[in-house]
């Protein structure tokens, strides 16, 4: 009996010793958690693109008239035209950003007339042609807060607009002061740079951290435009043009997108089970 008790006591002592030894063994550290690599350091840079439609007008069409003549503009304006823009910008903080854009504004048909009155003369000049622009502009925007991923904003811009008149013509009609006479005068295509400025307002929707969609309105002041040298249809007269289309403005509606270049890469969790 004593031998059995001795054997049990020795076994218990061995078990306790083994448990104490196991308790003293260091516990292996857990594997490190996955951490995504740091994002590329692009600062707050972004790219942008825009498409839209213009709604343009002009204040008047000026021309040099003979002494004693007066002209009254009638129906001066333009048809709508498409616009396309690209740009690069920088976000300085959560509410202020700026960008530099280049914009092409497609050909818009020009229409308008002058009613002419002079000594013993009543007639009209009917104008036609088309106009297009290249615009380079620096803009600054203030974001007014975000609600349900929608951010209203306002902004302003300054730059230059290259206004080009193409296919410009003057169809003149003499109504009083002799027998009715019609004439057609053609003008060469011509473009010129003008100071331009704009005011902006719109709504931005953040689709994901790196992609934003905008619906925006812009008021654009594009300056003046003028055709090139003129020539009568019968070659009877020719020379430099004295016609100017004054104070061209436009109400634009645009759909834009912005791609943030500093958005972090997508998080990819480690596999739950590994082999090997």
């Amino acid at each position: 009996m004593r031998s059995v008790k001795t054997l049990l006591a020795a076994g218990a002592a061995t078990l306790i010793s083994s448990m104490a030894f196991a308790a003293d063994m260091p516990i292996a550290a857990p594997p490190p958690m996955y951490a995504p690599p740091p994002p590329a350091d692009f600062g707050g840079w972004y790219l942008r693109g825009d498409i839209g439609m213009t709604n343009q007008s002009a204040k008047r069409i000026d021309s040099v008239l003979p002494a004693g003549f007066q002209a009254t503009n009638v129906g001066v304006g333009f048809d709508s035209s498409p616009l396309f823009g690209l740009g690069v910008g920088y976000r300085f903080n959560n509410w202020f950003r700026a960008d530099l854009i280049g914009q092409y504004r497609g050909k818009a048909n020009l229409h308008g007339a002058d009613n002419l009155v002079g000594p013993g003369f009543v007639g009209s000049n009917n104008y036609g042609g088309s106009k297009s622009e290249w615009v380079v502009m620096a803009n600054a925007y203030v974001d007014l807060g975000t609600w349900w991923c929608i951010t209203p904003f306002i902004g302003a811009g300054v730059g230059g607009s290259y206004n080009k008149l193409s296919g410009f013509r003057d169809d003149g009609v003499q109504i009083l002061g002799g027998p009715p006479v019609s004439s057609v005068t053609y003008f060469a295509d011509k473009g010129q740079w003008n100071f331009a400025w704009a005011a902006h307002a719109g709504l931005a929707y953040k689709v994901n951290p790196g992609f934003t969609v905008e619906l925006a309105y812009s008021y654009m002041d594009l300056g003046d435009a003028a055709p090139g040298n003129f020539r009568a249809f019968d070659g009877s007269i020719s020379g430099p043009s004295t016609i100017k289309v004054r104070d061209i403005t436009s109400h634009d509606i645009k759909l834009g997108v912005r791609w943030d270049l500093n958005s972090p890469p997508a998080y990819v969790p480690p596999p739950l089970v590994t082999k090997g």
Side-chain angles (χ1 to χ4, degrees):
M1 181 64 68
R2 176 173 294 182
S3 60
V4 173
K5 292 181 179 180
T6 301
L7 183 60
L8 292 175
T14 302
L15 178 61
I16 293 172
S17 177
S18 300
M19 292 175 63
F21 177 77
D24 292 338
M25 292 181 63
I27 299 175
M33 296 183 63
Y34 173 80
D41 186 17
F42 288 109
W45 292 102
Y46 62 86
L47 301 176
R48 69 170 303 124
D50 298 276
I51 59 173
M53 293 296 296
T54 72
N55 182 19
Q56 305 178 77
S57 61
K59 187 174 183 179
R60 64 186 187 275
I61 297 178
D62 285 347
S63 61
V64 176
L65 301 174
F69 278 71
Q70 292 182 340
T72 302
N73 284 165
V74 178
V76 176
F78 302 92
D79 295 339
S80 296
S81 69
L83 67 84
F84 309 91
L86 293 173
V88 59
Y90 189 84
R91 173 175 290 281
F92 294 89
N93 51 44
N94 289 333
W95 59 271
F96 182 73
R97 56 189 169 85
D99 56 39
L100 179 67
I101 65 166
Q103 190 179 85
Y104 174 71
R105 306 164 66 86
K107 287 186 176 181
N109 292 329
L110 165 68
H111 47 77
D114 276 340
N115 291 333
L116 297 175
V117 178
F121 179 92
V122 175
S124 67
N125 290 325
N126 298 306
Y127 301 114
S130 63
K131 175 187 62 64
S132 60
E133 298 95 15
W134 287 96
V135 176
V136 177
M137 185 166 287
N139 303 289
Y141 308 90
V142 174
D143 292 337
L144 304 178
T146 301
W147 296 269
W148 301 285
C149 299
I150 297 177
T151 303
F153 64 87
I154 57 175
V158 294
S161 177
Y162 183 79
N163 304 332
K164 183 177 181 180
L165 286 180
S166 305
F168 191 85
R169 59 184 281 173
D170 175 359
D171 299 336
V173 179
Q174 178 181 327
I175 301 172
L176 182 67
V181 175
S182 298
S183 63
V184 178
T185 303
Y186 299 97
F187 295 76
D189 297 350
K190 182 182 177 182
Q192 65 181 52
W193 281 101
N194 293 262
F195 173 76
W197 63 271
H200 313 290
L203 300 172
Y205 178 76
K206 186 176 284 295
V207 179
N208 59 48
F211 185 70
T212 302
V213 178
E214 292 182 0
L215 179 63
Y217 161 82
S218 294
Y219 174 82
M220 303 281 288
D221 188 309
L222 302 167
D224 303 332
N229 295 340
F230 72 88
R231 176 184 58 81
F233 76 101
D234 59 0
S236 58
I237 56 174
S238 62
S241 171
T242 62
I243 292 177
K244 282 189 177 293
V245 182
R246 298 287 191 182
D247 299 334
I248 301 168
T249 59
S250 183
H251 300 272
D252 301 340
I253 298 295
K254 301 176 293 182
L255 182 65
V257 293
R258 300 199 311 261
W259 295 273
D260 291 339
L261 299 180
N262 64 323
S263 57
Y267 171 74
V268 179
L272 298 179
V273 177
T274 60
K275 296 182 179 181

